[in-house]
Amino acid sequence: MTDQPIKHPFERFVGFVGMTSCLRYGYSFIDSERGLPEILAFLVVGFAIILVLEALGKRVARKLPVVRMRYLTPLYLIYLYVFLTSFYSSSFGFSL
């Protein structure tokens, strides 16, 4: 077993939000009218911004008090519901 410290529960949640943000942001360019070089530039800059915000969020999350993971489960479920709903609503031409 490795001797890695256990991550703070809020830090794990920030990582989850960052990962799903990258997925949603990348998905938003699928049926885009932009050219390939422009899409690539938007993706590189967008992902860089998301990663920087995620790193800042994790730094702030480490300063919060530790809570049990079971208390964060509703937060995960609400976020996952909004995330999946955003895909469903974007397929019909409106967004949240």
Side-chain angles (χ1 to χ4, degrees):
M1 189 163 200
T2 61
D3 292 333
Q4 295 179 351
I6 297 173
K7 286 190 174 183
H8 193 289
F10 284 118
E11 186 179 358
R12 292 176 64 190
F13 180 72
V14 169
F16 176 70
V17 169
M19 177 188 65
T20 54
S21 298
C22 285
L23 286 171
R24 185 68 183 109
Y25 183 71
Y27 182 79
S28 67
F29 288 101
I30 286 182
D31 288 330
S32 178
E33 299 292 326
R34 296 182 169 101
L36 192 58
E38 190 178 2
I39 290 175
L40 183 61
F42 273 110
L43 287 175
V44 168
V45 171
F47 289 155
I49 291 171
I50 290 171
L51 290 176
V52 167
L53 290 175
E54 182 180 348
L56 290 173
K58 284 183 176 184
R59 186 173 295 164
V60 170
R62 286 186 207 117
K63 296 182 187 329
L64 295 173
V66 175
V67 295
R68 291 184 183 265
M69 201 57 193
R70 69 178 176 202
Y71 297 121
L72 291 178
T73 302
L75 194 61
Y76 274 93
L77 292 175
I78 290 169
Y79 181 79
L80 194 60
Y81 174 76
V82 170
F83 173 71
L84 294 174
T85 304
S86 72
F87 284 105
Y88 179 74
S89 64
S90 67
S91 65
F92 291 110
F94 62 94
S95 61
L96 294 175

